[in-house]
mmCIF file of all heavy atoms in Angstrom:
data_model
loop_
_atom_site.group_PDB
_atom_site.id
_atom_site.type_symbol
_atom_site.label_atom_id
_atom_site.label_comp_id
_atom_site.label_asym_id
_atom_site.label_seq_id
_atom_site.Cartn_x
_atom_site.Cartn_y
_atom_site.Cartn_z
ATOM 1 N N MET A 21 10.215 -48.859 -53.516
ATOM 2 C CA MET A 21 10.593 -47.742 -54.356
ATOM 3 C C MET A 21 11.427 -46.784 -53.505
ATOM 4 O O MET A 21 11.067 -46.499 -52.369
ATOM 5 C CB MET A 21 9.352 -47.011 -54.846
ATOM 6 C CG MET A 21 8.437 -47.833 -55.724
ATOM 7 S SD MET A 21 6.969 -46.925 -56.282
ATOM 8 C CE MET A 21 6.156 -46.610 -54.734
ATOM 9 N N THR A 22 12.483 -46.333 -54.099
ATOM 10 C CA THR A 22 13.363 -45.440 -53.349
ATOM 11 C C THR A 22 13.571 -44.083 -54.012
ATOM 12 O O THR A 22 14.238 -43.225 -53.439
ATOM 13 C CB THR A 22 14.739 -46.108 -53.147
ATOM 14 O OG1 THR A 22 15.290 -46.409 -54.427
ATOM 15 C CG2 THR A 22 14.614 -47.378 -52.311
ATOM 16 N N CYS A 23 13.009 -43.900 -55.216
ATOM 17 C CA CYS A 23 13.216 -42.618 -55.902
ATOM 18 C C CYS A 23 12.092 -42.368 -56.903
ATOM 19 O O CYS A 23 11.272 -43.245 -57.174
ATOM 20 C CB CYS A 23 14.562 -42.611 -56.619
ATOM 21 S SG CYS A 23 14.644 -43.732 -58.024
ATOM 22 N N GLY A 24 12.100 -41.175 -57.459
ATOM 23 C CA GLY A 24 11.094 -40.809 -58.444
ATOM 24 C C GLY A 24 11.153 -41.672 -59.695
ATOM 25 O O GLY A 24 10.133 -41.977 -60.304
ATOM 26 N N GLY A 25 12.351 -42.089 -60.077
ATOM 27 C CA GLY A 25 12.488 -42.966 -61.231
ATOM 28 C C GLY A 25 11.821 -44.317 -60.996
ATOM 29 O O GLY A 25 11.182 -44.873 -61.889
ATOM 30 N N CYS A 26 11.982 -44.821 -59.777
ATOM 31 C CA CYS A 26 11.333 -46.088 -59.402
ATOM 32 C C CYS A 26 9.817 -45.934 -59.494
ATOM 33 O O CYS A 26 9.121 -46.793 -60.048
ATOM 34 C CB CYS A 26 11.697 -46.476 -57.973
ATOM 35 S SG CYS A 26 13.456 -46.690 -57.659
ATOM 36 N N ALA A 27 9.318 -44.849 -58.937
ATOM 37 C CA ALA A 27 7.870 -44.600 -58.946
ATOM 38 C C ALA A 27 7.352 -44.492 -60.374
ATOM 39 O O ALA A 27 6.286 -45.024 -60.697
ATOM 40 C CB ALA A 27 7.561 -43.331 -58.167
ATOM 41 N N LYS A 28 8.106 -43.834 -61.230
ATOM 42 C CA LYS A 28 7.694 -43.680 -62.625
ATOM 43 C C LYS A 28 7.621 -45.034 -63.325
ATOM 44 O O LYS A 28 6.680 -45.303 -64.076
ATOM 45 C CB LYS A 28 8.676 -42.755 -63.350
ATOM 46 C CG LYS A 28 8.292 -42.452 -64.766
ATOM 47 C CD LYS A 28 9.261 -41.460 -65.383
ATOM 48 C CE LYS A 28 8.872 -41.177 -66.818
ATOM 49 N NZ LYS A 28 9.754 -40.179 -67.433
ATOM 50 N N THR A 29 8.593 -45.895 -63.072
ATOM 51 C CA THR A 29 8.613 -47.223 -63.679
ATOM 52 C C THR A 29 7.421 -48.050 -63.227
ATOM 53 O O THR A 29 6.722 -48.667 -64.043
ATOM 54 C CB THR A 29 9.931 -47.947 -63.337
ATOM 55 O OG1 THR A 29 11.018 -47.186 -63.861
ATOM 56 C CG2 THR A 29 9.957 -49.351 -63.915
ATOM 57 N N VAL A 30 7.167 -48.075 -61.924
ATOM 58 C CA VAL A 30 6.030 -48.835 -61.390
ATOM 59 C C VAL A 30 4.725 -48.276 -61.946
ATOM 60 O O VAL A 30 3.850 -49.024 -62.386
ATOM 61 C CB VAL A 30 6.024 -48.826 -59.852
ATOM 62 C CG1 VAL A 30 4.740 -49.424 -59.305
ATOM 63 C CG2 VAL A 30 7.227 -49.590 -59.310
ATOM 64 N N THR A 31 4.597 -46.959 -61.940
ATOM 65 C CA THR A 31 3.383 -46.316 -62.438
ATOM 66 C C THR A 31 3.125 -46.694 -63.891
ATOM 67 O O THR A 31 2.003 -47.039 -64.270
ATOM 68 C CB THR A 31 3.488 -44.787 -62.297
ATOM 69 O OG1 THR A 31 3.615 -44.476 -60.903
ATOM 70 C CG2 THR A 31 2.277 -44.080 -62.860
ATOM 71 N N ARG A 32 4.154 -46.655 -64.706
ATOM 72 C CA ARG A 32 4.012 -46.976 -66.131
ATOM 73 C C ARG A 32 3.533 -48.414 -66.326
ATOM 74 O O ARG A 32 2.616 -48.669 -67.105
ATOM 75 C CB ARG A 32 5.336 -46.752 -66.861
ATOM 76 C CG ARG A 32 5.266 -47.046 -68.345
ATOM 77 C CD ARG A 32 6.541 -46.644 -69.081
ATOM 78 N NE ARG A 32 7.763 -47.054 -68.450
ATOM 79 C CZ ARG A 32 8.339 -48.260 -68.594
ATOM 80 N NH1 ARG A 32 7.772 -49.161 -69.356
ATOM 81 N NH2 ARG A 32 9.466 -48.535 -67.988
ATOM 82 N N HIS A 33 4.124 -49.338 -65.607
ATOM 83 C CA HIS A 33 3.740 -50.744 -65.756
ATOM 84 C C HIS A 33 2.321 -51.005 -65.263
ATOM 85 O O HIS A 33 1.553 -51.709 -65.914
ATOM 86 C CB HIS A 33 4.735 -51.641 -65.024
ATOM 87 C CG HIS A 33 5.983 -51.888 -65.794
ATOM 88 N ND1 HIS A 33 7.045 -51.009 -65.789
ATOM 89 C CD2 HIS A 33 6.343 -52.903 -66.593
ATOM 90 C CE1 HIS A 33 8.003 -51.478 -66.555
ATOM 91 N NE2 HIS A 33 7.602 -52.634 -67.071
ATOM 92 N N VAL A 34 1.968 -50.443 -64.129
ATOM 93 C CA VAL A 34 0.624 -50.673 -63.586
ATOM 94 C C VAL A 34 -0.429 -49.995 -64.459
ATOM 95 O O VAL A 34 -1.522 -50.527 -64.654
ATOM 96 C CB VAL A 34 0.527 -50.219 -62.113
ATOM 97 C CG1 VAL A 34 -0.900 -50.319 -61.594
ATOM 98 C CG2 VAL A 34 1.459 -51.062 -61.240
ATOM 99 N N ALA A 35 -0.108 -48.851 -65.032
ATOM 100 C CA ALA A 35 -1.051 -48.145 -65.903
ATOM 101 C C ALA A 35 -1.395 -48.973 -67.141
ATOM 102 O O ALA A 35 -2.453 -48.759 -67.749
ATOM 103 C CB ALA A 35 -0.477 -46.793 -66.321
ATOM 104 N N GLU A 36 -0.554 -49.927 -67.502
ATOM 105 C CA GLU A 36 -0.796 -50.777 -68.661
ATOM 106 C C GLU A 36 -1.814 -51.890 -68.387
ATOM 107 O O GLU A 36 -2.289 -52.530 -69.314
ATOM 108 C CB GLU A 36 0.513 -51.399 -69.143
ATOM 109 C CG GLU A 36 1.478 -50.376 -69.709
ATOM 110 C CD GLU A 36 2.839 -50.951 -70.039
ATOM 111 O OE1 GLU A 36 3.102 -52.135 -69.722
ATOM 112 O OE2 GLU A 36 3.657 -50.212 -70.602
ATOM 113 N N VAL A 37 -2.159 -52.109 -67.114
ATOM 114 C CA VAL A 37 -3.140 -53.144 -66.775
ATOM 115 C C VAL A 37 -4.504 -52.710 -67.299
ATOM 116 O O VAL A 37 -4.930 -51.554 -67.093
ATOM 117 C CB VAL A 37 -3.199 -53.367 -65.249
ATOM 118 C CG1 VAL A 37 -4.331 -54.324 -64.877
ATOM 119 C CG2 VAL A 37 -1.859 -53.897 -64.738
ATOM 120 N N GLU A 38 -5.178 -53.609 -67.980
ATOM 121 C CA GLU A 38 -6.485 -53.295 -68.556
ATOM 122 C C GLU A 38 -7.457 -52.829 -67.479
ATOM 123 O O GLU A 38 -7.608 -53.470 -66.443
ATOM 124 C CB GLU A 38 -7.063 -54.521 -69.264
ATOM 125 C CG GLU A 38 -8.347 -54.220 -69.998
ATOM 126 C CD GLU A 38 -8.850 -55.400 -70.799
ATOM 127 O OE1 GLU A 38 -8.053 -56.294 -71.122
ATOM 128 O OE2 GLU A 38 -10.049 -55.410 -71.106
ATOM 129 N N GLY A 39 -8.079 -51.674 -67.726
ATOM 130 C CA GLY A 39 -9.071 -51.129 -66.810
ATOM 131 C C GLY A 39 -8.544 -50.069 -65.875
ATOM 132 O O GLY A 39 -9.318 -49.340 -65.254
ATOM 133 N N VAL A 40 -7.226 -49.942 -65.739
ATOM 134 C CA VAL A 40 -6.651 -48.940 -64.837
ATOM 135 C C VAL A 40 -6.799 -47.566 -65.480
ATOM 136 O O VAL A 40 -6.416 -47.352 -66.627
ATOM 137 C CB VAL A 40 -5.164 -49.246 -64.544
ATOM 138 C CG1 VAL A 40 -4.499 -48.083 -63.813
ATOM 139 C CG2 VAL A 40 -5.049 -50.529 -63.727
ATOM 140 N N SER A 41 -7.375 -46.627 -64.714
ATOM 141 C CA SER A 41 -7.549 -45.268 -65.227
ATOM 142 C C SER A 41 -6.568 -44.273 -64.609
ATOM 143 O O SER A 41 -6.339 -43.201 -65.164
ATOM 144 C CB SER A 41 -8.982 -44.789 -64.999
ATOM 145 O OG SER A 41 -9.301 -44.802 -63.623
ATOM 146 N N ASP A 42 -5.973 -44.628 -63.456
ATOM 147 C CA ASP A 42 -5.012 -43.729 -62.818
ATOM 148 C C ASP A 42 -4.161 -44.520 -61.839
ATOM 149 O O ASP A 42 -4.638 -45.473 -61.224
ATOM 150 C CB ASP A 42 -5.733 -42.605 -62.073
ATOM 151 C CG ASP A 42 -4.786 -41.519 -61.594
ATOM 152 O OD1 ASP A 42 -3.819 -41.192 -62.312
ATOM 153 O OD2 ASP A 42 -4.986 -41.007 -60.478
ATOM 154 N N VAL A 43 -2.901 -44.112 -61.719
ATOM 155 C CA VAL A 43 -1.984 -44.710 -60.749
ATOM 156 C C VAL A 43 -1.208 -43.579 -60.105
ATOM 157 O O VAL A 43 -0.670 -42.715 -60.808
ATOM 158 C CB VAL A 43 -0.979 -45.680 -61.424
ATOM 159 C CG1 VAL A 43 -0.069 -46.304 -60.380
ATOM 160 C CG2 VAL A 43 -1.689 -46.734 -62.232
ATOM 161 N N GLN A 44 -1.150 -43.592 -58.783
ATOM 162 C CA GLN A 44 -0.363 -42.606 -58.046
ATOM 163 C C GLN A 44 0.626 -43.367 -57.174
ATOM 164 O O GLN A 44 0.235 -44.258 -56.421
ATOM 165 C CB GLN A 44 -1.264 -41.737 -57.158
ATOM 166 C CG GLN A 44 -2.269 -40.912 -57.926
ATOM 167 C CD GLN A 44 -1.621 -39.864 -58.797
ATOM 168 O OE1 GLN A 44 -0.664 -39.213 -58.399
ATOM 169 N NE2 GLN A 44 -2.134 -39.712 -60.008
ATOM 170 N N ALA A 45 1.904 -43.036 -57.284
ATOM 171 C CA ALA A 45 2.939 -43.675 -56.473
ATOM 172 C C ALA A 45 3.409 -42.714 -55.392
ATOM 173 O O ALA A 45 3.606 -41.526 -55.651
ATOM 174 C CB ALA A 45 4.113 -44.082 -57.349
ATOM 175 N N ASP A 46 3.572 -43.224 -54.191
ATOM 176 C CA ASP A 46 4.073 -42.460 -53.046
ATOM 177 C C ASP A 46 5.400 -43.066 -52.631
ATOM 178 O O ASP A 46 5.428 -44.104 -51.966
ATOM 179 C CB ASP A 46 3.061 -42.504 -51.905
ATOM 180 C CG ASP A 46 3.542 -41.806 -50.649
ATOM 181 O OD1 ASP A 46 4.589 -41.133 -50.689
ATOM 182 O OD2 ASP A 46 2.872 -41.951 -49.616
ATOM 183 N N VAL A 47 6.497 -42.434 -53.034
ATOM 184 C CA VAL A 47 7.825 -42.965 -52.754
ATOM 185 C C VAL A 47 8.071 -43.026 -51.254
ATOM 186 O O VAL A 47 8.549 -44.039 -50.738
ATOM 187 C CB VAL A 47 8.919 -42.122 -53.453
ATOM 188 C CG1 VAL A 47 10.305 -42.585 -53.043
ATOM 189 C CG2 VAL A 47 8.759 -42.199 -54.958
ATOM 190 N N ALA A 48 7.737 -41.971 -50.530
ATOM 191 C CA ALA A 48 7.989 -41.931 -49.092
ATOM 192 C C ALA A 48 7.256 -43.047 -48.354
ATOM 193 O O ALA A 48 7.798 -43.661 -47.436
ATOM 194 C CB ALA A 48 7.580 -40.572 -48.523
ATOM 195 N N GLY A 49 6.037 -43.324 -48.774
ATOM 196 C CA GLY A 49 5.256 -44.358 -48.118
ATOM 197 C C GLY A 49 5.449 -45.732 -48.723
ATOM 198 O O GLY A 49 5.026 -46.749 -48.162
ATOM 199 N N GLY A 50 6.078 -45.790 -49.900
ATOM 200 C CA GLY A 50 6.288 -47.061 -50.572
ATOM 201 C C GLY A 50 4.995 -47.700 -51.038
ATOM 202 O O GLY A 50 4.868 -48.919 -51.065
ATOM 203 N N THR A 51 4.034 -46.848 -51.435
ATOM 204 C CA THR A 51 2.732 -47.363 -51.838
ATOM 205 C C THR A 51 2.341 -46.858 -53.221
ATOM 206 O O THR A 51 2.879 -45.862 -53.707
ATOM 207 C CB THR A 51 1.630 -46.937 -50.846
ATOM 208 O OG1 THR A 51 1.529 -45.501 -50.850
ATOM 209 C CG2 THR A 51 1.917 -47.422 -49.444
ATOM 210 N N ILE A 52 1.380 -47.568 -53.806
ATOM 211 C CA ILE A 52 0.741 -47.079 -55.019
ATOM 212 C C ILE A 52 -0.769 -47.128 -54.795
ATOM 213 O O ILE A 52 -1.274 -47.987 -54.070
ATOM 214 C CB ILE A 52 1.114 -47.888 -56.278
ATOM 215 C CG1 ILE A 52 0.741 -49.361 -56.134
ATOM 216 C CG2 ILE A 52 2.568 -47.715 -56.638
ATOM 217 C CD1 ILE A 52 0.864 -50.161 -57.424
ATOM 218 N N THR A 53 -1.452 -46.189 -55.405
ATOM 219 C CA THR A 53 -2.904 -46.169 -55.397
ATOM 220 C C THR A 53 -3.349 -46.349 -56.833
ATOM 221 O O THR A 53 -2.898 -45.622 -57.724
ATOM 222 C CB THR A 53 -3.438 -44.833 -54.839
ATOM 223 O OG1 THR A 53 -2.929 -44.668 -53.508
ATOM 224 C CG2 THR A 53 -4.950 -44.817 -54.813
ATOM 225 N N VAL A 54 -4.216 -47.339 -57.044
ATOM 226 C CA VAL A 54 -4.665 -47.676 -58.393
ATOM 227 C C VAL A 54 -6.162 -47.394 -58.483
ATOM 228 O O VAL A 54 -6.923 -47.816 -57.617
ATOM 229 C CB VAL A 54 -4.388 -49.162 -58.713
ATOM 230 C CG1 VAL A 54 -4.836 -49.504 -60.115
ATOM 231 C CG2 VAL A 54 -2.911 -49.477 -58.522
ATOM 232 N N VAL A 55 -6.570 -46.685 -59.534
ATOM 233 C CA VAL A 55 -7.973 -46.340 -59.737
ATOM 234 C C VAL A 55 -8.489 -47.068 -60.980
ATOM 235 O O VAL A 55 -7.816 -47.088 -62.012
ATOM 236 C CB VAL A 55 -8.148 -44.819 -59.913
ATOM 237 C CG1 VAL A 55 -9.600 -44.457 -60.169
ATOM 238 C CG2 VAL A 55 -7.613 -44.081 -58.692
ATOM 239 N N SER A 56 -9.678 -47.641 -60.823
ATOM 240 C CA SER A 56 -10.314 -48.346 -61.926
ATOM 241 C C SER A 56 -11.820 -48.255 -61.740
ATOM 242 O O SER A 56 -12.316 -48.288 -60.614
ATOM 243 C CB SER A 56 -9.882 -49.811 -61.938
ATOM 244 O OG SER A 56 -10.595 -50.521 -62.925
ATOM 245 N N ALA A 57 -12.553 -48.154 -62.844
ATOM 246 C CA ALA A 57 -14.008 -48.103 -62.771
ATOM 247 C C ALA A 57 -14.584 -49.473 -62.391
ATOM 248 O O ALA A 57 -15.670 -49.560 -61.823
ATOM 249 C CB ALA A 57 -14.595 -47.654 -64.105
ATOM 250 N N ASN A 58 -13.847 -50.530 -62.687
ATOM 251 C CA ASN A 58 -14.289 -51.890 -62.405
ATOM 252 C C ASN A 58 -13.259 -52.590 -61.529
ATOM 253 O O ASN A 58 -12.088 -52.206 -61.514
ATOM 254 C CB ASN A 58 -14.475 -52.666 -63.714
ATOM 255 C CG ASN A 58 -15.552 -52.052 -64.577
ATOM 256 O OD1 ASN A 58 -16.656 -51.808 -64.120
ATOM 257 N ND2 ASN A 58 -15.221 -51.771 -65.829
ATOM 258 N N PRO A 59 -13.669 -53.640 -60.835
ATOM 259 C CA PRO A 59 -12.704 -54.390 -60.017
ATOM 260 C C PRO A 59 -11.556 -54.929 -60.870
ATOM 261 O O PRO A 59 -11.747 -55.297 -62.026
ATOM 262 C CB PRO A 59 -13.542 -55.547 -59.459
ATOM 263 C CG PRO A 59 -14.960 -55.070 -59.528
ATOM 264 C CD PRO A 59 -15.026 -54.182 -60.740
ATOM 265 N N LEU A 60 -10.379 -54.929 -60.279
ATOM 266 C CA LEU A 60 -9.188 -55.450 -60.943
ATOM 267 C C LEU A 60 -8.781 -56.763 -60.286
ATOM 268 O O LEU A 60 -9.032 -56.972 -59.105
ATOM 269 C CB LEU A 60 -8.022 -54.469 -60.814
ATOM 270 C CG LEU A 60 -8.191 -53.109 -61.461
ATOM 271 C CD1 LEU A 60 -7.044 -52.197 -61.057
ATOM 272 C CD2 LEU A 60 -8.242 -53.255 -62.967
ATOM 273 N N GLU A 61 -8.130 -57.596 -61.044
ATOM 274 C CA GLU A 61 -7.550 -58.811 -60.493
ATOM 275 C C GLU A 61 -6.234 -58.441 -59.813
ATOM 276 O O GLU A 61 -5.359 -57.819 -60.441
ATOM 277 C CB GLU A 61 -7.293 -59.841 -61.592
ATOM 278 C CG GLU A 61 -8.548 -60.386 -62.233
ATOM 279 C CD GLU A 61 -9.368 -61.223 -61.277
ATOM 280 O OE1 GLU A 61 -8.784 -61.877 -60.374
ATOM 281 O OE2 GLU A 61 -10.606 -61.224 -61.427
ATOM 282 N N THR A 62 -6.102 -58.792 -58.551
ATOM 283 C CA THR A 62 -4.867 -58.515 -57.824
ATOM 284 C C THR A 62 -3.673 -59.132 -58.549
ATOM 285 O O THR A 62 -2.600 -58.524 -58.613
ATOM 286 C CB THR A 62 -4.953 -59.041 -56.385
ATOM 287 O OG1 THR A 62 -6.072 -58.438 -55.741
ATOM 288 C CG2 THR A 62 -3.698 -58.724 -55.596
ATOM 289 N N ALA A 63 -3.865 -60.302 -59.119
ATOM 290 C CA ALA A 63 -2.775 -60.983 -59.828
ATOM 291 C C ALA A 63 -2.261 -60.146 -61.001
ATOM 292 O O ALA A 63 -1.056 -60.142 -61.274
ATOM 293 C CB ALA A 63 -3.238 -62.347 -60.321
ATOM 294 N N ASP A 64 -3.150 -59.425 -61.686
ATOM 295 C CA ASP A 64 -2.730 -58.587 -62.814
ATOM 296 C C ASP A 64 -1.886 -57.413 -62.336
ATOM 297 O O ASP A 64 -0.866 -57.066 -62.948
ATOM 298 C CB ASP A 64 -3.942 -58.079 -63.588
ATOM 299 C CG ASP A 64 -4.704 -59.185 -64.294
ATOM 300 O OD1 ASP A 64 -4.134 -60.286 -64.506
ATOM 301 O OD2 ASP A 64 -5.887 -58.957 -64.629
ATOM 302 N N VAL A 65 -2.313 -56.792 -61.240
ATOM 303 C CA VAL A 65 -1.561 -55.660 -60.679
ATOM 304 C C VAL A 65 -0.222 -56.161 -60.144
ATOM 305 O O VAL A 65 0.827 -55.546 -60.374
ATOM 306 C CB VAL A 65 -2.373 -54.935 -59.591
ATOM 307 C CG1 VAL A 65 -1.547 -53.827 -58.952
ATOM 308 C CG2 VAL A 65 -3.670 -54.376 -60.180
ATOM 309 N N ARG A 66 -0.255 -57.283 -59.435
ATOM 310 C CA ARG A 66 0.976 -57.864 -58.897
ATOM 311 C C ARG A 66 1.967 -58.163 -60.028
ATOM 312 O O ARG A 66 3.155 -57.855 -59.924
ATOM 313 C CB ARG A 66 0.672 -59.142 -58.124
ATOM 314 C CG ARG A 66 1.891 -59.790 -57.472
ATOM 315 C CD ARG A 66 1.531 -61.060 -56.709
ATOM 316 N NE ARG A 66 0.481 -60.860 -55.742
ATOM 317 C CZ ARG A 66 0.639 -60.367 -54.508
ATOM 318 N NH1 ARG A 66 1.848 -59.993 -54.119
ATOM 319 N NH2 ARG A 66 -0.386 -60.232 -53.696
ATOM 320 N N ALA A 67 1.506 -58.742 -61.118
ATOM 321 C CA ALA A 67 2.373 -59.063 -62.252
ATOM 322 C C ALA A 67 2.992 -57.801 -62.838
ATOM 323 O O ALA A 67 4.172 -57.793 -63.204
ATOM 324 C CB ALA A 67 1.592 -59.828 -63.313
ATOM 325 N N ALA A 68 2.218 -56.724 -62.927
ATOM 326 C CA ALA A 68 2.740 -55.465 -63.464
ATOM 327 C C ALA A 68 3.826 -54.895 -62.557
ATOM 328 O O ALA A 68 4.861 -54.424 -63.031
ATOM 329 C CB ALA A 68 1.606 -54.460 -63.635
ATOM 330 N N VAL A 69 3.600 -54.948 -61.259
ATOM 331 C CA VAL A 69 4.596 -54.457 -60.295
ATOM 332 C C VAL A 69 5.871 -55.300 -60.402
ATOM 333 O O VAL A 69 6.985 -54.755 -60.390
ATOM 334 C CB VAL A 69 4.023 -54.476 -58.856
ATOM 335 C CG1 VAL A 69 5.113 -54.196 -57.828
ATOM 336 C CG2 VAL A 69 2.890 -53.458 -58.716
ATOM 337 N N GLU A 70 5.717 -56.601 -60.539
ATOM 338 C CA GLU A 70 6.882 -57.472 -60.653
ATOM 339 C C GLU A 70 7.629 -57.260 -61.968
ATOM 340 O O GLU A 70 8.862 -57.323 -61.994
ATOM 341 C CB GLU A 70 6.462 -58.925 -60.462
ATOM 342 C CG GLU A 70 6.071 -59.196 -59.020
ATOM 343 C CD GLU A 70 5.553 -60.594 -58.752
ATOM 344 O OE1 GLU A 70 5.404 -61.395 -59.711
ATOM 345 O OE2 GLU A 70 5.289 -60.881 -57.570
ATOM 346 N N ARG A 71 6.908 -56.959 -63.045
ATOM 347 C CA ARG A 71 7.587 -56.631 -64.325
ATOM 348 C C ARG A 71 8.432 -55.374 -64.168
ATOM 349 O O ARG A 71 9.451 -55.209 -64.843
ATOM 350 C CB ARG A 71 6.571 -56.441 -65.449
ATOM 351 C CG ARG A 71 6.080 -57.732 -66.062
ATOM 352 C CD ARG A 71 5.334 -57.501 -67.367
ATOM 353 N NE ARG A 71 4.195 -56.601 -67.255
ATOM 354 C CZ ARG A 71 2.971 -56.955 -66.845
ATOM 355 N NH1 ARG A 71 2.724 -58.202 -66.501
ATOM 356 N NH2 ARG A 71 2.002 -56.070 -66.794
ATOM 357 N N ALA A 72 7.991 -54.490 -63.277
ATOM 358 C CA ALA A 72 8.750 -53.257 -63.026
ATOM 359 C C ALA A 72 9.958 -53.507 -62.131
ATOM 360 O O ALA A 72 10.791 -52.630 -61.944
ATOM 361 C CB ALA A 72 7.838 -52.209 -62.377
ATOM 362 N N GLY A 73 10.049 -54.732 -61.564
ATOM 363 C CA GLY A 73 11.199 -55.074 -60.745
ATOM 364 C C GLY A 73 10.959 -54.952 -59.254
ATOM 365 O O GLY A 73 11.914 -54.941 -58.468
ATOM 366 N N TYR A 74 9.704 -54.903 -58.839
ATOM 367 C CA TYR A 74 9.343 -54.737 -57.433
ATOM 368 C C TYR A 74 8.379 -55.835 -57.004
ATOM 369 O O TYR A 74 7.966 -56.654 -57.807
ATOM 370 C CB TYR A 74 8.730 -53.355 -57.200
ATOM 371 C CG TYR A 74 9.724 -52.263 -57.500
ATOM 372 C CD1 TYR A 74 9.848 -51.756 -58.786
ATOM 373 C CD2 TYR A 74 10.573 -51.786 -56.523
ATOM 374 C CE1 TYR A 74 10.791 -50.784 -59.085
ATOM 375 C CE2 TYR A 74 11.517 -50.825 -56.812
ATOM 376 C CZ TYR A 74 11.632 -50.325 -58.081
ATOM 377 O OH TYR A 74 12.571 -49.387 -58.380
ATOM 378 N N HIS A 75 8.025 -55.830 -55.728
ATOM 379 C CA HIS A 75 7.092 -56.824 -55.199
ATOM 380 C C HIS A 75 5.926 -56.118 -54.551
ATOM 381 O O HIS A 75 6.109 -55.133 -53.825
ATOM 382 C CB HIS A 75 7.775 -57.717 -54.168
ATOM 383 C CG HIS A 75 8.926 -58.487 -54.732
ATOM 384 N ND1 HIS A 75 8.753 -59.585 -55.533
ATOM 385 C CD2 HIS A 75 10.251 -58.294 -54.638
ATOM 386 C CE1 HIS A 75 9.930 -60.035 -55.905
ATOM 387 N NE2 HIS A 75 10.855 -59.271 -55.384
ATOM 388 N N LEU A 76 4.733 -56.618 -54.807
ATOM 389 C CA LEU A 76 3.515 -56.097 -54.182
ATOM 390 C C LEU A 76 3.386 -56.773 -52.835
ATOM 391 O O LEU A 76 3.434 -57.999 -52.735
ATOM 392 C CB LEU A 76 2.312 -56.410 -55.072
ATOM 393 C CG LEU A 76 0.979 -55.848 -54.647
ATOM 394 C CD1 LEU A 76 1.016 -54.324 -54.674
ATOM 395 C CD2 LEU A 76 -0.113 -56.365 -55.561
ATOM 396 N N VAL A 77 3.217 -55.971 -51.793
ATOM 397 C CA VAL A 77 3.071 -56.501 -50.440
ATOM 398 C C VAL A 77 1.656 -56.230 -49.977
ATOM 399 O O VAL A 77 1.170 -55.115 -50.077
ATOM 400 C CB VAL A 77 4.081 -55.821 -49.472
ATOM 401 C CG1 VAL A 77 3.893 -56.348 -48.059
ATOM 402 C CG2 VAL A 77 5.503 -56.043 -49.958
ATOM 403 N N GLY A 78 1.036 -57.253 -49.466
ATOM 404 C CA GLY A 78 -0.315 -57.063 -48.925
ATOM 405 C C GLY A 78 -1.397 -57.481 -49.829
ATOM 406 O O GLY A 78 -1.305 -57.914 -50.889
#
């Protein structure tokens, strides 16, 4: 992510994953923090990030 628009796009897509209650994107750090009451499938989050046009690393 290189700008606020990028962060907004990623945040919107990840927020659509079932069970996600909050998403915070850090453009400077190139990270997102995802909050959920229950465990999430990494594959679901990864797919959402990829739909936004980015790649999940790690």
Side-chain angles (χ1 to χ4, degrees):
M21 297 180 296
T22 58
C23 69
C26 301
K28 184 176 179 178
T29 299
V30 171
T31 298
R32 181 173 46 85
H33 280 84
V34 174
E36 293 173 354
V37 173
E38 186 175 339
V40 170
S41 59
D42 190 37
V43 181
Q44 297 295 319
D46 177 9
V47 174
T51 63
I52 59 170
T53 301
V54 181
V55 178
S56 174
N58 297 309
L60 297 171
E61 293 293 329
T62 302
D64 293 341
V65 176
R66 183 180 306 278
V69 170
E70 290 176 356
R71 279 193 303 277
Y74 297 88
H75 299 284
L76 185 64
V77 178

